[in-house]
């Protein structure tokens, strides 16, 4: 409601919102369907399959339900350590390259 009156969005005499909405829905419906199927459904499906696989593995090996998380944390820690080692190597190589460049420029 405005000082000069009321705007009815659904009233075609007041706005083109209805026509715009219908046009957008018609032109983008197939894209919406594809995104829903390809992205959302596949993510949901993979999560459910992963959960059921992890649950069955834990039951068959006698592992605790949290053991998968512990394994994941261990892998993440190992990858972090590897990343730090690689960063140190890159720093050392960069220093060596800078020293060689400085010697060549003299």
């Amino acid at each position: 409601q405005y000082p000069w009156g009321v705007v009815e969005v659904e009233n075609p005499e007041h706005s083109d919102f209805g026509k715009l909405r219908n046009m957008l829905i018609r032109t983008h419906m197939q894209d919406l369907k594809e995104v829903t199927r390809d992205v959302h459904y596949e993510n949901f499906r993979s999560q459910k399959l992963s959960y059921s696989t992890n649950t069955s593995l834990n039951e068959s090996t006698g592992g605790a339900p949290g053991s998968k998380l512990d394994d994941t944390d261990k892998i993440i820690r190992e990858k972090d350590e590897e990343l730090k080692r690689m960063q140190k190597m890159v720093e050392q190589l960069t220093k060596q390259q800078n020293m060689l460049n400085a010697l060549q420029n003299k």
Side-chain angles (χ1 to χ4, degrees):
Q1 186 171 359
Y2 294 96
W4 60 85
V6 176
V7 175
E8 297 173 6
V9 177
E10 294 293 329
N11 187 343
E13 292 180 14
H14 289 196
S15 80
D16 292 332
F17 176 75
K19 293 177 184 175
L20 177 65
R21 180 187 60 212
N22 289 337
M23 187 267 310
L24 288 173
I25 289 174
R26 267 191 251 114
T27 57
H28 292 84
M29 183 57 72
Q30 187 60 36
D31 185 47
L32 178 62
K33 288 177 183 177
E34 289 171 3
V35 168
T36 300
R37 183 190 69 236
D38 295 343
V39 177
H40 302 299
Y41 174 71
E42 287 302 321
N43 286 341
F44 169 79
R45 186 176 152 280
S46 64
Q47 286 174 353
K48 291 299 178 184
L49 287 173
S50 174
Y51 176 76
S52 66
T53 303
N54 290 340
T55 302
S56 65
L57 283 175
N58 283 336
E59 289 172 359
S60 66
T61 59
S67 65
K68 179 67 177 169
L69 291 176
D70 294 339
D71 291 342
T72 304
D73 288 342
K74 181 181 176 183
I75 292 170
I76 289 172
R77 275 189 252 112
E78 289 172 356
K79 292 294 180 183
D80 283 342
E81 290 171 6
E82 182 180 354
L83 183 61
K84 288 176 185 176
R85 283 193 306 270
M86 293 177 93
Q87 286 174 338
K88 286 180 183 178
M89 265 180 25
V90 168
E91 288 174 8
Q92 289 173 351
L93 290 171
T94 303
K95 286 179 185 177
Q96 289 175 359
Q97 185 65 39
N98 289 340
M99 288 173 53
L100 284 174
N101 288 341
L103 289 174
Q104 289 176 350
N105 290 333
K106 284 186 180 183

